[in-house]
Amino acid sequence: MAKIALLGIGTVGGGVAELLCSNAAQIAAGAGEKLELKYIMCSRAHPDNPFADKIVYDFSVIENDEEISVVAECIGGVGAAYEYVKRALLAGKNVVSSNKELIAERGMELLAIAAQKNVRLLFEASVGGGIPIIRPLTQCLAANRVDEIYGILNGTTNYILTQMFQCEQSFDTALREAQRLGYAESDPTADIEGLDAGRKICILADICFGRNVPPEKIRIRGITGITAADAVLAGRLGFTVKLLGRAKRMENRLTVYVSPHMIGEDKLLSGISGVMNGICVKGNAVGECLFYGAGAGRLPTASAVVADLIDAVRHVSDGKDPRWVEGANDLLADSDELPCRWYVRAKAGAAALERVFGGTAVTENVYSAIITQEMPRSELEDLCAGLGVEAVWPVLE
Ligand code: HSE
């Protein structure tokens, strides 16, 4: 019998506790022994919770209990979560975490501690919710040089854009619904401003390229500038709009960023709606692989956390767990220098846009939009001067 401690009993932690009970036989078969949830650590009482008898408030109870072999961290953030994960690893316990902020910001340091203590730090749930992506990258695709990885990495924003574009719902109503469904972060600014997707693309870049990509060093543009007019204009141009995180190898450098993108209606990512996420990996042997599934939500995320618990209990330390190291100072190239075609929405009329950019513009009420030739953003910004441009997003080729 393996004894587990769970940190946090919110959306994800609650899902983990529930899944450990509801799928206990399946989980025991996978782990080779039963998993018993011995403690749940919370900051306050939850008298009505079915697991209330397991609640503790002091981490040292868990840290000092030699029976606990694995700690599942589902608190979020880098404050208390960082302290407890580090203490758990130093105490010789395996840790699984759903915490993208923690892994993106402190993963390099914590993985080094885990290796030093010969324990595991697993974080499959930190990117893509229930989608298997971290193990496929480190195991199934291990023979590839990954040249590019990009995807829809935030369920809340994809849900909002789907509701706005397909159901004509307002931004605020769609956001409230995403919060009610348990998709959004406690502060949804992290979702809508692209920070959550930024943390996730940094983790994917860390794994694919083996170098630390700090979230504060990448360009992040969120979805707050996307309007109902963009839904109409993009549709007329043959595109939809999705928030993508993207990491691309450029010889010895990387470009990593988050931005709304125009996605052609012939591309698989254009059909990924609601809370679903999709991640495309381009490997030099395998070509393109697309991973698709629920990117947020209680049980999809718990599915990935509990899979890590099973793996940690088996402690099959096969040397394939991800690790990354500090990169060179000039590792990151500015994503605005990446030549792209661009969607430009402006108050200038269609004729003015066509005169500047060539091609054919479309119009909806006071706005016109056009797709430009390929160029870096700096060049584009010079051309945009005086056109009343309100939105500029790259086209995904
Ligand atoms: N707020 C996140 C999202 C949760 O919407 O994708 C899953 O990481």
Side-chain angles (χ1 to χ4, degrees), residues 124-133 153 200 277 279 293-297 300-305:
E124 185 63 64
S126 66
V127 181
I131 305 176
I133 182 64
L153 299 173
K200 291 167 178 168
N277 283 191
I279 303 167
T301 311
S303 158
V305 174

Side-chain angles (χ1 to χ4, degrees), residues 316-392:
V316 197
S317 194
D318 52 12
K320 292 178 185 162
D321 288 352
R323 287 284 298 277
W324 54 88
V325 297
E326 204 65 75
N329 284 342
D330 65 347
L331 174 71
L332 293 175
D334 185 350
S335 58
D336 280 356
E337 295 308 315
L338 195 66
C340 301
R341 292 192 297 149
W342 300 88
Y343 165 88
V344 175
R345 167 168 54 84
K347 285 217 162 126
L353 292 184
E354 288 170 1
R355 218 171 21 252
V356 174
F357 296 109
T360 306
V362 294
T363 299
E364 167 70 6
N365 293 328
V366 296
Y367 289 111
S368 295
I370 199 162
I371 302 292
T372 72
Q373 302 297 311
E374 192 175 285
M375 64 186 93
R377 191 176 174 119
S378 48
E379 196 178 313
L380 176 78
E381 283 175 358
D382 291 344
L383 292 173
C384 286
L387 292 174
V389 171
E390 293 191 4
V392 161

Side-chain angles (χ1 to χ4, degrees), residues 100 125-126 153-157 183-185 191 196 200 277 295-296 301:
K100 48 270 162 121
S126 66
L153 299 173
N154 182 270
T156 300
T157 46
Y183 302 154
E185 299 300 299
D191 296 296
D196 180 75
K200 291 167 178 168
N277 283 191
T301 311

